[in-house]
Amino acid sequence: MFNVKHNECVGFESRWRVKKVSSVGSTQTTDYSKAEMETSPPEKKDTQVQTETPEGATSVQVDEEKLAEWLRKIYPKVKKELDDSANSRAFKGYKLSTDSSDANCKLVQILNVASQVKDAEIGSYVSAMSWNSTNQTLAVSCTYKHNSWCYHEGVVAIYTLDREDNLPETPRVKLTTESCVTELRFHSVLPAIIAAGLFSGGIIIWNIQKEDDQVVAKVEGHGDGITQLSWIIDINSAKNVLLASSGLDGLLSIWNFSLNESALTIKERHQIRSQLMPKNSESQEETVKKIARGVTCFDFSKYSPEIFVIGGEGGLVVQCSLLGSRKLQGSKDEAPLLDSVFKYYEGHKGEVSSIKFSPNRREMFMTSGSDSEIRIYVVDQEEPAQVIFLKQPLLDVSWVPYEERIICGCGKNGVIEIYNLLKGKAIENTTKEKIKSEIMTQVEINKTKSNIVAVGTESGHVQMWRVPWALFGNLSL
């Protein structure tokens, strides 16, 4: 089945060594030479471009219904982004600091407001100040300390900053009233409109652009002295600006203002009453009737204009709302009397002198009282989130624009007092100039140029300071 067969071997010549042929060549280059030649730029010609659709070209067909539907779909998000960008304060007022160690407050000017209006029997201390909407004009009023009824004539002095951001020695305008002025507030939009609250409870509105007949409106606003004024947004129409006023009669009133009709008419009144005592109270009485408290201060939220917080006599701190208010007995349709109390906060042990919402945080507001405490509240929390204990009570406090970590105030110490909001401690305020220490009654920070600070004193002076807030903000880190 199987056979064995032998074949002879076959051999092949080896080719593993191969010689390659190569040759050496040479190259030759031409000699280098240089020659100059004249050139001229090309001639330019203007041509016209026809943007209209040429004849014969087909136009693009657009489905307008689908386009409108798409625009309606994206509009809310686009509007939100545009509004956030327009309202953002992230870089507004931002300045690069050149020397972080030179946190020095500089006094640049002192105005003797009382002496300028001495012929009107002006009082001794600055009772109110306000910058207008352009932040170029400052209104100042001085008043007496009253033990009973006021028999003085009040005067409001109007000053305007010059090119060097200084105020003139003589006021540009003088406005007179039948009693001392306790509160001033420029209109939030119209720079020439200013409202004044009087010790007698009256409210006057002027137009300082006019040379004659400057009084726009005048009403008997409250049954007791005016404690605060504020121009607020109408929650029913954002285009309208209303005037809110508070008084020691226990009312917060909201007024419709019309410049064209020269009218100030009441819209509604809110009465603030004390909180009912709990049943387990240690008081001898089981319950305490609600008693109206005088309103010492208030502020409306910048982010939720229907919410406002009120400080009442006896240290009362109350959150109120324009929505869901309840009419009280005796209320009239033309001027309803409302109970708008929504929540009671843990109050001060002394009188509340100031309440202000944060310009940076929608949920935060600050109070200051005669118990030498600054309290930082969160809207939804009844107890304060932070308490800053002071050596002496402050007469006025303010948030610092564009600086979230620091707040400032003034009082008996005679200097602008600066505090770290997070740590709850004072930041040293260094002033190289030697100045006479005076009790400070009012502090007003210019909103456009926040380093310009006007401070009113008990002797009727206005001190103009330059304060490098950014440097103090760095020290608070």
Side-chain angles (χ1 to χ4, degrees):
M1 182 175 180
F2 298 98
N3 295 323
V4 179
K5 186 175 183 180
H6 298 276
N7 292 324
E8 295 181 357
C9 295
V10 179
F12 299 91
E13 183 179 359
S14 176
R15 297 287 186 182
W16 69 275
R17 288 184 179 178
V18 178
K19 293 182 179 180
K20 293 184 177 180
V21 178
S22 62
S23 62
V24 179
S26 61
T27 59
Q28 183 176 353
T29 59
T30 58
D31 295 335
Y32 174 77
S33 62
K34 181 175 67 174
E36 295 182 358
M37 299 180 62
E38 295 182 355
T39 60
S40 60
E43 182 180 357
K44 293 184 178 180
K45 295 182 180 181
D46 295 333
T47 58
Q48 296 181 351
V49 179
Q50 184 75 24
T51 56
E52 296 180 358
T53 305
E55 296 182 1
T58 58
S59 60
V60 179
Q61 298 295 328
V62 178
D63 191 334
E64 295 184 358
E65 293 184 359
K66 290 185 178 180
L67 177 60
E69 182 181 356
W70 178 74
L71 291 175
R72 284 194 298 268
K73 183 177 179 181
I74 69 169
Y75 173 74
K77 294 183 179 179
V78 174
K79 182 178 182 299
K80 181 180 181 301
E81 293 297 329
L82 292 175
D83 291 343
D84 291 344
S85 177
N87 298 327
S88 175
R89 300 183 178 183
F91 296 100
K92 191 173 181 179
Y94 175 75
K95 294 181 180 180
L96 292 174
S97 57
T98 57
D99 186 2
S100 60
S101 62
D102 188 19
N104 174 48
C105 294
K106 184 178 181 181
L107 178 61
V108 296
Q109 190 179 8
I110 298 178
L111 295 177
N112 193 339
V113 181
S115 67
Q116 294 295 336
V117 287
K118 188 176 181 180
D119 55 338
E121 293 186 358
I122 198 67
S124 61
Y125 75 97
V126 176
S127 60
M129 294 192 301
S130 177
W131 290 102
N132 73 342
S133 60
T134 63
N135 291 287
Q136 292 295 316
T137 300
L138 178 69
V140 185
S141 65
C142 294
T143 185
Y144 284 112
K145 293 182 179 180
H146 302 88
N147 296 323
S148 58
W149 191 249
C150 176
Y151 299 97
H152 314 110
E153 184 182 45
V155 174
V156 178
I158 308 294
Y159 299 87
T160 300
L161 292 172
D162 59 19
R163 294 182 178 180
E164 287 73 30
D165 292 333
N166 293 322
L167 297 178
E169 294 294 332
T170 303
R172 179 170 63 90
V173 178
K174 293 181 183 179
L175 307 169
T176 59
T177 61
E178 66 273 10
S179 66
C180 287
V181 177
T182 57
E183 177 67 6
L184 288 173
R185 194 59 53 194
F186 269 107
H187 195 281
S188 57
V189 178
L190 305 175
I193 302 300
I194 183 172
L198 308 182
F199 184 87
S200 61
I203 300 174
I204 301 178
I205 298 179
W206 294 286
N207 185 347
I208 62 175
Q209 281 185 339
K210 293 184 177 180
E211 295 183 358
D212 300 324
D213 193 18
Q214 295 171 318
V215 177
V216 176
K218 183 179 180 180
V219 297
E220 293 296 329
H222 291 262
D224 210 330
I226 302 293
T227 55
Q228 191 168 332
L229 297 173
S230 181
W231 296 95
I232 63 174
I233 299 175
D234 188 350
I235 61 174
N236 298 320
S237 176
K239 295 181 180 180
N240 295 334
V241 179
L242 308 175
L243 179 66
S245 64
S246 63
L248 295 177
D249 57 355
L251 297 176
L252 184 142
S253 302
I254 297 179
W255 307 81
N256 290 309
F257 172 68
S258 174
L259 180 60
N260 296 330
E261 300 177 1
S262 299
L264 187 67
T265 57
I266 188 66
K267 180 181 181 182
E268 58 192 35
R269 300 178 187 270
H270 299 263
Q271 189 173 55
I272 309 304
R273 300 187 178 188
S274 60
Q275 186 179 15
L276 283 173
M277 298 292 290
K279 294 182 179 180
N280 58 354
S281 172
E282 297 179 357
S283 174
Q284 294 179 358
E285 298 180 358
E286 293 183 358
T287 58
V288 178
K289 294 182 179 180
K290 287 188 174 182
I291 302 175
R293 301 284 189 93
V295 179
T296 58
C297 53
F298 69 90
D299 195 20
F300 279 74
S301 171
K302 310 300 185 298
Y303 297 95
S304 302
E306 75 280 0
I307 297 177
F308 59 102
V309 180
I310 284 178
E313 291 179 325
L316 197 67
V317 180
V318 185
Q319 181 193 145
C320 304
S321 176
L322 297 177
L323 302 177
S325 301
R326 182 175 62 87
K327 286 188 177 182
L328 298 175
Q329 292 182 355
S331 177
K332 299 179 181 179
D333 292 337
E334 61 273 14
L337 183 62
L338 306 174
D339 181 3
S340 56
V341 174
F342 182 74
K343 179 186 294 186
Y344 292 90
Y345 295 96
E346 181 181 307
H348 284 262
K349 296 179 182 179
E351 296 298 331
V352 184
S353 58
S354 178
I355 286 183
K356 292 182 180 178
F357 271 93
S358 170
N360 305 312
R361 302 291 183 89
R362 66 171 60 238
E363 76 283 356
M364 186 180 296
F365 67 92
M366 168 179 60
T367 65
S368 176
S370 61
D371 54 357
S372 300
E373 290 183 1
I374 297 176
R375 296 187 173 191
I376 309 299
Y377 291 89
V378 177
V379 172
D380 297 332
Q381 182 177 318
E382 296 180 0
E383 297 80 14
Q386 175 70 286
V387 179
I388 302 176
F389 298 96
L390 312 173
K391 294 181 180 180
Q392 296 187 59
L394 297 177
L395 300 179
D396 194 13
V397 294
S398 177
W399 297 93
V400 178
Y402 325 121
E403 296 291 339
E404 294 188 3
R405 301 184 184 90
I406 58 176
I407 56 177
C408 73
C410 65
K412 295 182 179 180
N413 289 335
V415 294
I416 299 175
E417 302 180 41
I418 306 172
Y419 297 91
N420 185 328
L421 184 63
L422 300 179
K423 298 179 181 179
K425 296 181 180 180
I427 300 174
E428 183 180 0
N429 178 356
T430 58
T431 302
K432 296 179 181 179
E433 293 82 1
K434 292 182 179 181
I435 59 173
K436 181 181 177 181
S437 179
E438 298 184 66
I439 296 177
M440 295 179 172
T441 58
Q442 297 285 322
V443 57
E444 279 290 316
I445 303 176
N446 191 292
K447 300 299 185 297
T448 301
K449 302 175 182 179
S450 60
N451 65 313
I452 300 177
V453 182
V455 177
T457 71
E458 194 178 42
S459 61
H461 294 152
V462 171
Q463 299 177 357
M464 298 298 295
W465 291 81
R466 298 292 188 270
V467 183
W469 297 116
L471 301 184
F472 287 104
N474 294 336
L475 294 177
S476 67
L477 295 175

